[in-house]
Amino acid sequence: MLINRIAVLCSGFLFATLLSATSQAEINTLQPEQDQGSTAREIVGKLEMLHYNKLKVGDEMSETLWDEYVEALDPTKSYFLASDISEFREWRTKLDDQLRAGDVKAGFEIYNRYRLRVTDRLNNILSQMDKGLPAFDFSRDESLELDREESQWPVSISAADELWRKRLKSSVLNLRLTGKKDEEIRDLLVRRYKGQLKRVEQQNSDDVFELYMNSLTRLYDPHSNYLSPRSLENFNMSMSLSLEGIGAVLQADEEYTKVARLVAGGPADRTGKVKPNDKIVAVGQDKEGEMVDVVGWRLDDVVDLIRGPAGSFVRLETIPTGGDGSHRTILIQRSKVKLEDQAAKKATFEFSDGEKTYKIGVINLPTFYIDFEAYRRRDPNYKSTTRDVAKLLAELKEEKVDGVILDLRNNGGGSLQEATMLTDLFIDQGPVVQIRHANEQISRHNRSRSRAMYRGPLMVLINRLSASASEIFAGAIQDYNRGLVVGNQSFGKGTVQTMAPLKEGQLKITQSKFYRVSGDSTQHAGVTPDIPMPQLIDADSVGESAYDTALPWDRIHAVPHAKYFNLKDLLPDLIGKHNQRTSADPDFIFLREQFQYESERADQKFVSLNEFAREEERKNLNDRLLTMENRRRNAKGLEPYASFEAYEESESGDVATIGGPVEIKLEKDPILNEAGFIMADFIGLSDKIAKTPPQVADFNSR
């Protein structure tokens, strides 16, 4: 199932003894508008002609489109009946011909049936709620299937009713476990279902058309999509520096809105409390406003609720990823995401290799930025990544650092121009990245300086959220053997998109693909570090490889480029020292245990509907987390926590607001701390490095 899908309405938790007799007419059957047929023909033509992935819209794609569209509407297989699916199959090999003819009626007919099923279910559950919260036997041993991707649609109304009974029971139990009373639960669920009913009734032709067209564009790759006029407005707003909000990219994930990534330096990022994959269940305005349940909401409606003027407050109720299902409320002050918040910053620390102490400079780079407006008006003081890092390198040189770590963790990319120009600071003349276009022509970006600005020991620190421009830079440093790449396999986003105008809206379409100077693509596989660190983010759920239709990894011809150091001979010693140092390190033991814990939680296929079992499960999970943390604290000579509640209070608190500028600290960053020791080893073992040629890689000239 595709992760990055746009959900129109996702499943609630309810049951009914019979479907109501609501007719299609009573819920305002939606019909395609006049221009949508011609827009569909235009989209098909541009995809076939312009997209990097040369696919033709034919019978085979028609079948895949049918599968994708039905799954996009009902990913949990909870609304449609098997009889509905059987009826829809008549279109399975016909959608391609219909789209070429500008006929989108099949997409609307399938959607209208979906809309009818949803409306019936919501009306029935609301009528059930009029009589009070249904009585459930929470001592009964039964479970709910969490992942229904491989399941079948209900074969009858009674089978659907049983599925919805369990879903409602699970929803009630989840709320009971948060401490809510039955009357509170009933009121919350009634508001939730009424809100879902209102939103499904407000769906219009543009919404259906956009969903149908995006089911087509996703077959080409996950980054190509159709933007309706409304979505285009939101897209343009999100790309603007004047965007005011919390600085988070959100996506729909079944009935939830999920945090896809954080904007570096933005309000949500600076709280330290919001993480990728956290689920948002409620949103409240200001410090005391009512929390509005947003489960089942449209993605853009949730975004509208969270967005607001700079200086105002918003509260998010989230289910943290990898937790025990408990909710957390976070207070965030909205603000504009400014270049200053995302600018490169530096710090210096001292590390020893056991024989000698070295001063290491760390430059944190949250994104590849450039102030295009100031650049276009020829402002001599315009801000950019390369200019700022050059200044920081000059300052570090004055401070006589022995080596530099460039921290690109969580850097999702940005300006390609800045990624190539930044490489100028570290290597002499040569190619940086290759780009193969849809017409199969290959262009190359070369660095322009005749001599690198910084010539000393270098390390690039990456993780799973380092993407796009970050991967171009890290890949170039690795291919040139200019420095060590340390951390985790990067995201793997190696494609370039452009905007193509349409009669209605625009088409964001993938037209190019990045390749390293070695010939390897950064697409799908990303950059593999020379020295791996403990994995903190699940690569199966985050990254390009998590998308079903991601373009594959491949390679083209390498281009001639220099090799600076013989790192291959040095790596065994560095890895051996790293493994020896971290095998007994309390922080690293904790990180590995934490990832194992979260992986086990992510693999859970069923959830118990027995209250006692769930309480025991939660207690066991909390005890495990507390034991892991206290083992770490004891090993570090810190006072252990007396209870899980004390640990949770210390780690998260009830609310959090943004603070001042983000500082580089080692205390709570064991990955950066270990990177410093690796760098010290790297410098200490420098006499074993074969300098090729010596005038290019001369440690004494740093």
Side-chain angles (χ1 to χ4, degrees):
M1 181 174 62
L2 285 173
I3 293 175
N4 191 25
R5 71 171 71 258
I6 299 173
V8 175
L9 180 80
C10 299
S11 53
F13 307 96
L14 45 116
F15 72 96
T17 55
L18 289 172
L19 285 176
S20 70
T22 306
S23 71
Q24 205 81 31
E26 288 174 324
I27 61 167
N28 185 26
T29 300
L30 297 175
Q31 299 293 336
E33 296 180 356
Q34 182 176 358
D35 291 336
Q36 289 173 345
S38 58
T39 301
R41 287 199 305 269
E42 198 177 0
I43 290 172
V44 169
K46 288 186 182 297
L47 286 171
E48 290 185 330
M49 181 173 60
L50 301 177
H51 197 281
Y52 184 90
N53 199 5
K54 301 295 186 183
L55 296 177
K56 293 294 181 183
V57 179
D59 286 350
E60 184 177 349
M61 182 174 284
S62 176
E63 295 181 8
T64 311
L65 171 59
W66 185 93
D67 293 338
E68 177 62 29
Y69 184 53
V70 170
E71 185 182 356
L73 288 171
D74 191 7
T76 60
K77 297 181 179 176
S78 304
Y79 292 109
F80 289 130
L81 298 176
S83 57
D84 296 325
I85 301 303
S86 179
E87 183 181 340
F88 298 155
R89 288 188 188 279
E90 68 169 290
W91 292 308
R92 202 158 187 267
T93 60
K94 300 176 181 177
L95 299 180
D96 58 321
D97 297 324
Q98 292 175 358
L99 289 174
R100 289 188 184 281
D103 181 0
V104 294
K105 288 182 181 178
F108 276 78
E109 289 197 32
I110 294 172
Y111 179 83
N112 282 323
R113 180 68 59 82
Y114 161 80
R115 197 172 187 227
L116 175 64
R117 295 300 188 204
V118 172
T119 303
D120 279 335
R121 284 291 175 184
L122 293 174
N123 280 327
N124 272 280
I125 192 61
L126 287 170
S127 67
Q128 292 283 333
M129 290 291 190
D130 285 342
K131 304 171 185 176
L133 194 66
F136 291 108
D137 180 3
F138 290 109
S139 65
R140 180 180 174 184
D141 287 328
E142 57 181 351
S143 61
L144 175 69
E145 188 177 21
L146 293 175
D147 184 357
R148 288 182 48 80
E149 185 176 0
E150 302 300 325
S151 300
Q152 301 299 314
W153 278 274
V155 297
S156 64
I157 290 176
S158 60
D161 288 344
E162 175 62 9
L163 171 61
W164 286 92
R165 181 192 68 80
K166 287 186 175 182
R167 292 180 75 92
L168 177 59
K169 183 177 181 180
S170 178
S171 184
V172 172
L173 180 55
N174 287 339
L175 293 170
R176 281 170 66 103
L177 292 173
T178 66
K180 288 183 169 57
K181 304 299 182 184
D182 284 356
E183 191 59 32
E184 292 179 278
I185 295 172
R186 177 193 171 277
D187 291 344
L188 188 151
L189 292 178
V190 166
R191 289 196 302 271
R192 177 181 296 178
Y193 302 140
K194 283 184 176 180
Q196 291 180 4
L197 183 61
K198 179 180 179 181
R199 279 180 291 281
V200 78
E201 290 172 345
Q202 289 176 339
Q203 297 298 299
N204 58 37
S205 179
D206 285 345
D207 297 322
V208 182
F209 182 70
E210 183 174 31
L211 180 64
Y212 190 31
M213 289 301 98
N214 278 321
S215 295
L216 173 64
T217 61
R218 278 194 300 271
L219 302 184
Y220 281 79
D221 85 302
H223 304 292
S224 294
N225 59 287
Y226 165 69
L227 300 169
S228 68
R230 178 183 177 183
S231 295
L232 182 61
E233 181 182 352
N234 285 332
F235 176 79
N236 290 334
M237 191 178 300
S238 69
M239 296 300 289
S240 170
L241 286 177
S242 65
L243 174 65
E244 295 177 346
I246 65 169
V249 177
L250 308 178
Q251 69 183 40
D253 182 20
E254 297 184 356
E255 69 262 37
Y256 292 103
T257 295
K258 186 171 72 173
V259 178
R261 65 179 177 86
L262 300 174
V263 177
D269 182 36
R270 292 202 281 176
T271 66
K273 312 300 179 185
V274 183
K275 304 294 182 183
N277 285 337
D278 285 357
K279 295 175 180 176
I280 299 173
V281 296
V283 180
Q285 303 302 320
D286 303 316
K287 296 182 179 181
E288 302 293 337
E290 177 186 1
M291 298 298 291
V292 177
D293 184 89
V294 296
V295 177
W297 279 39
R298 284 170 48 114
L299 179 62
D300 51 0
D301 287 336
V302 178
V303 171
D304 288 343
L305 199 61
I306 294 175
R307 182 181 293 150
S312 62
F313 288 87
V314 63
R315 295 184 345 273
L316 303 183
E317 183 179 334
T318 68
I319 303 176
T321 180
D324 63 358
S326 300
H327 293 201
R328 172 191 292 179
T329 300
I330 305 163
L331 178 65
I332 303 174
Q333 187 174 14
R334 301 179 178 105
S335 69
K336 291 183 179 180
V337 179
K338 303 174 183 177
L339 278 178
E340 298 80 53
D341 298 327
Q342 298 185 300
K345 49 190 172 292
K346 72 173 176 67
T348 58
F349 304 98
E350 291 188 345
F351 294 91
S352 173
D353 67 348
E355 298 178 3
K356 185 178 178 181
T357 298
Y358 302 95
K359 180 184 283 189
I360 307 299
V362 178
I363 297 178
N364 179 266
L365 187 59
T367 186
F368 286 86
Y369 55 88
I370 181 172
D371 187 342
F372 280 111
E373 184 178 341
Y375 175 76
R376 290 190 187 103
R377 66 172 182 263
R378 301 182 184 278
D379 183 341
N381 298 314
Y382 74 90
K383 286 189 68 65
S384 78
T385 300
T386 305
R387 291 164 65 95
D388 288 350
V389 172
K391 293 175 184 176
L392 297 180
L393 285 173
E395 292 172 9
L396 290 174
K397 185 176 180 179
E398 289 295 319
E399 296 175 46
K400 301 186 183 306
V401 299
D402 297 293
V404 170
I405 298 173
L406 195 61
D407 189 351
L408 298 184
R409 289 176 298 170
N410 304 330
N411 184 322
S415 169
L416 170 63
Q417 171 185 321
E418 287 301 312
T420 57
M421 290 183 67
L422 184 66
T423 314
D424 283 7
L425 304 180
F426 301 98
I427 66 172
D428 295 337
Q429 283 185 328
V432 176
V433 65
Q434 304 183 79
I435 302 177
R436 185 163 69 177
H437 305 279
N439 61 7
E440 299 189 359
Q441 290 185 344
I442 297 174
S443 59
R444 297 184 179 94
H445 285 253
N446 298 322
R447 65 169 309 283
S448 57
R449 291 176 183 265
S450 60
R451 181 176 171 83
M453 175 183 178
Y454 174 73
R455 309 174 66 75
L458 176 67
M459 176 190 293
V460 180
L461 194 56
I462 60 173
N463 67 3
R464 189 60 171 172
L465 295 178
S466 304
S468 195
S470 293
E471 296 172 293
I472 291 171
F473 177 83
I477 296 300
Q478 190 175 59
D479 288 341
Y480 276 86
N481 280 7
R482 173 60 186 86
L484 293 171
V485 177
V486 175
N488 308 116
Q489 180 188 25
S490 61
F491 192 93
K493 205 277 188 180
T495 57
V496 186
Q497 288 72 43
T498 58
M499 300 298 291
L502 300 167
K503 188 172 184 179
E504 290 286 334
Q506 288 195 25
L507 183 65
K508 182 159 68 76
I509 188 168
T510 297
Q511 286 194 299
S512 307
K513 197 171 178 182
F514 291 128
Y515 292 84
R516 294 161 57 163
V517 294
S518 64
D520 291 349
S521 173
T522 58
Q523 170 62 19
H524 205 286
V527 176
T528 302
D530 301 310
I531 301 178
M533 290 283 197
Q535 190 167 319
L536 303 180
I537 299 171
D538 182 15
D540 291 334
S541 60
V542 177
E544 191 76 6
S545 59
Y547 297 118
D548 289 346
T549 57
L551 297 184
W553 176 91
D554 63 347
R555 66 190 326 272
I556 59 176
H557 290 297
V559 291
H561 58 282
K563 293 285 187 178
Y564 283 68
F565 302 124
N566 186 8
L567 298 180
K568 183 179 179 181
D569 291 345
L570 188 61
L571 282 174
D573 284 340
L574 291 174
I575 293 173
K577 289 175 177 291
H578 161 68
N579 290 338
Q580 183 178 14
R581 190 166 43 242
T582 60
S583 61
D585 183 273
D587 289 321
F588 274 71
I589 292 172
F590 176 79
L591 291 176
R592 295 186 183 102
E593 289 180 339
Q594 187 179 45
F595 181 74
Q596 177 65 29
Y597 162 83
E598 293 184 359
S599 297
E600 292 173 9
R601 295 283 293 161
D603 291 339
Q604 188 176 356
K605 303 298 183 184
F606 293 87
V607 61
S608 174
L609 300 181
N610 180 293
E611 188 169 13
F612 176 78
R614 286 284 292 279
E615 288 281 13
E616 281 295 299
E617 179 186 9
R618 173 171 292 189
K619 180 180 182 301
N620 291 336
L621 289 172
N622 291 346
D623 287 347
R624 180 177 173 183
L625 287 172
L626 180 62
T627 299
M628 287 162 46
E629 171 60 17
N630 278 344
R631 184 160 52 235
R632 183 186 75 86
R633 295 180 69 82
N634 285 328
K636 292 172 71 72
L638 301 173
E639 184 72 23
Y641 292 114
S643 66
F644 179 79
E645 288 72 24
Y647 164 54
E648 193 174 40
E649 177 71 20
S650 173
E651 289 298 304
S652 63
D654 294 327
V655 298
T657 57
I658 62 173
V662 178
E663 297 180 6
I664 302 174
K665 296 181 178 180
L666 294 179
E667 292 82 0
K668 291 191 176 183
D669 193 345
I671 298 295
L672 180 59
N673 190 58
E674 172 59 18
F677 283 110
I678 294 174
M679 177 59 92
D681 291 337
F682 180 36
I683 300 170
L685 294 169
S686 62
D687 58 339
K688 297 181 180 180
I689 299 176
K691 304 175 178 64
T692 311
Q695 71 272 17
V696 171
D698 184 1
F699 272 36
N700 295 325
S701 67
R702 58 181 180 268

